Amino acid sequence: MKLTHMKCLYKINPSAQRGIGMVAAIVVLVLLASLAAAVTRLSWTQQVSSAQDIAGARAFQAANAGVEWGMYQALRGSWIQGGCNGSSQTIDLTSTMGFKVTVTCTSQSTAFKEGQDTNGTDLTLYLYMIDAVACNGSAASCPDNASSGGMNYVERKRHGVVSCRSDDNNGNTPNCTAAH
């Protein structure tokens, strides 16, 4: 038997298929835009994190320089001979490092007796505690509480102790050790 004419059971309406390609294209574009936004955000977060890491290292070095400066002031500078008790000074390093450093020196109000030398003379021990706080805030000293909530604010604190032992009572230079 020869089939010359077949009748279609289902008719496909061409207008019903219009727009399905447009929906698929929009879905693909939305997915690609979301992926691009996620990659951009990740890249930005890594850059901010790296910048904060570098600023933290600089703040650490600035605070370390503050401790060294404070130790010098306690032993050879303006804070010598117990004059550092409660003294505080801010060093402005913003032009070179972008930080201010507030250095505070505290000394013991009484000297410690640490035995005697071979002649029976008392050995006296003096302690100086040096605290240095470095920050990149806008205040005149550190820590800067007003700026501390900001995303770019960085602060580091270092602590150092200087112990000096006078070997005699003749006014000779004391024997000092420092730790920080």
Side-chain angles (χ1 to χ4, degrees), residues 31-113:
L31 288 175
L32 288 176
S34 298
L35 180 63
V39 168
T40 302
R41 176 71 175 177
L42 180 64
S43 174
W44 178 78
T45 302
Q46 287 179 339
Q47 288 178 358
V48 168
S49 177
S50 176
Q52 286 176 335
D53 239 5
I54 291 169
R58 286 181 179 161
F60 179 81
Q61 293 301 322
N64 201 35
V67 169
E68 296 286 333
W69 181 86
M71 287 179 176
Y72 175 81
Q73 293 302 318
L75 297 177
R76 302 281 184 257
S78 61
W79 292 343
I80 198 165
Q81 296 176 347
C84 85
N85 199 15
S87 297
S88 180
Q89 189 167 348
T90 299
I91 307 166
D92 190 0
L93 301 175
T94 53
S95 62
T96 57
M97 298 181 77
F99 290 92
K100 292 182 194 104
V101 184
T102 300
V103 182
T104 306
C105 179
T106 308
S107 62
Q108 293 291 336
S109 58
T110 57
F112 296 100
K113 299 296 182 192

Side-chain angles (χ1 to χ4, degrees), residues 12-19:
I12 299 175
N13 186 357
S15 65
Q17 296 227 351
R18 209 180 284 168

